[in-house]
Amino acid sequence: MNTPQHRLTQPARLYQNLNLRILISVVAAMMLIIGCGLWMLYWQEQQSINADVTARVEGACQVLDNNLNEDTNALNGFLQLISRNENLQDAWLDQNREELLRLALPIYQQLHASNRVTHFYFINLDRTCALRVHRPSDSGDTIKRHTLQQAADRAQSSSGIELGKYGHFTLRVVSPWIVDGQLVGYIELGEEIEHITPQLSKSMGVEVVITIEKEHLNRGHWETGLKILERRGDWSQLSKLVIIDKTIEHVPAALTSLINTGNLDNTTVTFTEHTTRKIYHGGSVPLKDVSDQQVGHLIILRDISTQTAALHKMAGLLLLVGCIVGTALFSICLLYISALRKTSCQLIETAHQSGKAEIATSVLHNVGNVLNSVNVSASLIQNNVTNSSSKNLGKAVEVIEHHLTDLGEFVTNDERGKHLPRFLIDVSEELSTEEDEILDEINSLIRNIDHIRTIVEAQQKHAKDNEGFVEKFSVIELMEDAININLASMERHSVKIQRNYSGIDRIVTNKQLLLQVFINLINNAKYACLESNHQEHQITLGIQPLGKDRVMIKIEDNGMGIDRENLTKIFAHGFTTRQEGHGFGLHSAALAATELGGSLVANSEGPGTGAIFILEIPYRPTGAKLCKT
């Protein structure tokens, strides 16, 4: 019956998907690196744009504060000059409203023309408006603004922006009016701050939108204020806010939608105006009056269309460069990996051939050891024959033939004849001893010749042209074959074999490849024992099941041991610690173990402690199927 066999993966086939596996990894790594690089560059540019916009928003707020502080200081200076005007003091103390208006109106007109002053008040101690220089017809009402209250409470000048009756922010400065050490009333100057909006836009390169919450406004008064100031506005444009000032010509629908969400406090504002395809990025900060009450929002917008277009262009260019570089690297890696695959296959094939050579060397070495014994036996037989006592027997026969007629007389009366019987007895005993010695050597010769036959048969048994085929066989019997191949050498060097075999099923794998591993490991263990200082040399062989689908084979020796740093190096191609070694055996065994679907590891506590090699292989390699041949 033919042995069931199936072709197993050859060493070269182990690497048939090497290109695909490595190239996929290389391509993935390159794409990841290029992608990360592009993303980092894009992110850095985006962060740069964000930082620029943030800086402009903060700068706009700072410019607004600086302008308000400068205008406040100017108004305070004007108030000091006005309060010291003796003519105004006399008219105020005389309660002469007409004279007060006549004297104050030129001052207001000059301040309005030169410093954009839009409000000029004279206020009584009871906080009723005595005169609005900027609107004389409107007087007599009680003023309840926070700046006036603060000036009265602190008895000093007070300033801040306040939301006016008509829905516009006004910077107001109120100063107590003291004449001859007596508080006689209050003087107030103010300016609407809408002129600051264009300055912010121009100096910071941004668009500005100012909104006010409707709950702080009266729609009728607000619309009246629009007519007075000859401005346009849309009360219903937003749900809860109204735009009181802006530098952008048309408020985009995307911005109105964003404002209507109500999430504007200290938040980032980003939107695209679909009609012009402009991209705006900015921020919103709360707008508070002098009483620290939030009444609206200051929205700063930066047109980043140009920067975004440049960023996209740069990203496209980087992507193109990345693809070109990636393609070049891919091609180089493809060529390199192809060469590496070819070299790897050659190295593996060389290692396998070296492993086979080690087996052949081991066989020849063991045969040589037995032949030495054969030669010794043959030499002993030759010496026994050459120096045999049969020559002395021939001399005795010659004497007997010479005295054949008077043999009785010769043996009885002749002095030499009297010694002849004892001589014959001694020669007979010597010949008997020589015969036993020759028979012993002949038996030894027969045993040694039979041992040579056993070694050769064990090798021939597994040296058929079945490389690459799997078979079903007993791993214990295969181990015994490996022992027999090395037995002569081990007996010569007094290396004892101890067996620890467990009951195990027959396995299905590459028989020739596994035998190669066994022989290499046993041979390696033998040399480790011989190079140690131990008087007794012993190798322990263990075979036992490992789980349901694997077999564990242990080859343990009490030899010279292995340095911890060499436990993995010993499997490298060309690495050896023996003076006469070449570093092929263990490397070949490790490759064969991998090809069998298993693993080979070494353990040792250090020099002089011996070593143990553990081989694990599956009962049946993945995908291996037996077939009849």
Side-chain angles (χ1 to χ4, degrees), residues 141-193:
D141 57 311
T142 301
I143 298 176
K144 300 180 180 179
R145 288 190 291 270
H146 184 79
T147 49
L148 178 58
Q149 179 67 41
Q150 200 173 55
D153 293 341
R154 298 178 180 177
Q156 63 183 17
S157 179
S158 174
S159 63
I161 58 173
E162 290 183 301
L163 188 62
K165 177 180 178 180
Y166 299 113
H168 296 280
F169 278 112
T170 303
L171 172 62
R172 300 180 185 274
V173 180
V174 182
S175 177
W177 195 2
I178 298 175
V179 179
D180 296 331
Q182 296 291 325
L183 178 64
V184 296
Y186 301 92
I187 305 174
E188 177 181 328
L189 291 177
E191 66 174 21
E192 294 178 0
I193 64 172

Side-chain angles (χ1 to χ4, degrees), residues 248 250-254 271-280 305:
I248 191 170
H250 300 287
V251 179
F271 64 90
T272 301
E273 185 181 0
H274 296 291
T275 55
T276 61
R277 305 306 300 173
K278 288 185 177 181
I279 302 173
Y280 290 96
S305 303

